[in-house]
Amino acid sequence: VQLQASGGGLVQAGGSLRLSCAASGGTFSNYVMGWFRQAPGKEREFVGIISWSGDLTDLADAVKGRFTISRDNAKNTVYLQMNSLKLEDTAVYYCAADLYYNPSGPMDYWGKGTQVTVSS
C-alpha cells in the first residue's frame, strides 16, 4: 500500500490543522492506520492509531484531548485533527499502515511526511 500525507502547514499556537493521508494500492480496510511525528533532533514518536473499521483508537498522552484520529474507508483516507496546537507539536508528521493493531509498535508501510510548524 502507498501512503501520501497532506495538510501540513504553518499555524499559530492554539490553532488547528487537519492532516489527511490517502492510501492506494491495497484494500484500505485491511489496514490499521497510524500517525507518527518527528521533531528536529528527536526520534520519531507515536501519535495515534486507528483500527480497521475505526471503532478503536489510541492516542499518545501528549496529544490526548487535543488530537483526534479518524478514517473514511470509502475514501481510503485517514485523518488527524489537531486542535489547541502547541509549539512542541512542530514536527514532520507521517502516516503509516499495518495489518495488525499494536499501539506505538512498529508499522510496515510508511508515507512521506508533511511538515507542521506551530508558531508563537
Side-chain angles (χ1 to χ4, degrees):
V1 62
Q2 291 79 47
L3 305 172
Q4 180 63 57
S6 62
L10 176 64
V11 62
Q12 286 192 324
S16 298
L17 276 176
R18 188 176 80 157
L19 304 183
S20 300
C21 175
S24 61
T27 303
F28 184 65
S29 59
N30 286 349
Y31 294 93
V32 170
M33 300 300 297
W35 286 98
F36 292 73
R37 67 186 182 185
Q38 187 166 19
K42 295 188 177 182
E43 293 187 353
R44 187 171 62 196
E45 65 175 357
F46 168 78
V47 174
I49 191 171
I50 186 165
S51 63
W52 306 267
S53 63
D55 60 341
L56 187 62
T57 62
D58 203 337
L59 292 165
D61 288 344
V63 305
K64 279 181 182 176
R66 300 188 298 121
F67 290 12
T68 304
I69 187 169
S70 62
R71 67 189 294 162
D72 186 338
N73 285 350
K75 295 183 178 179
N76 292 352
T77 302
V78 62
Y79 304 98
L80 184 67
Q81 178 66 46
M82 305 186 294
N83 299 328
S84 302
L85 282 160
K86 303 177 181 180
L87 295 178
E88 53 263 41
D89 293 319
T90 294
V92 177
Y93 284 71
Y94 299 88
C95 63
D98 199 276
L99 294 176
Y100 302 102
Y101 190 89
N102 182 16
S104 76
M107 301 189 81
D108 280 341
Y109 303 95
W110 292 84
K112 293 182 180 179
T114 185
Q115 176 71 47
V116 172
T117 302
V118 184
S119 65
S120 58

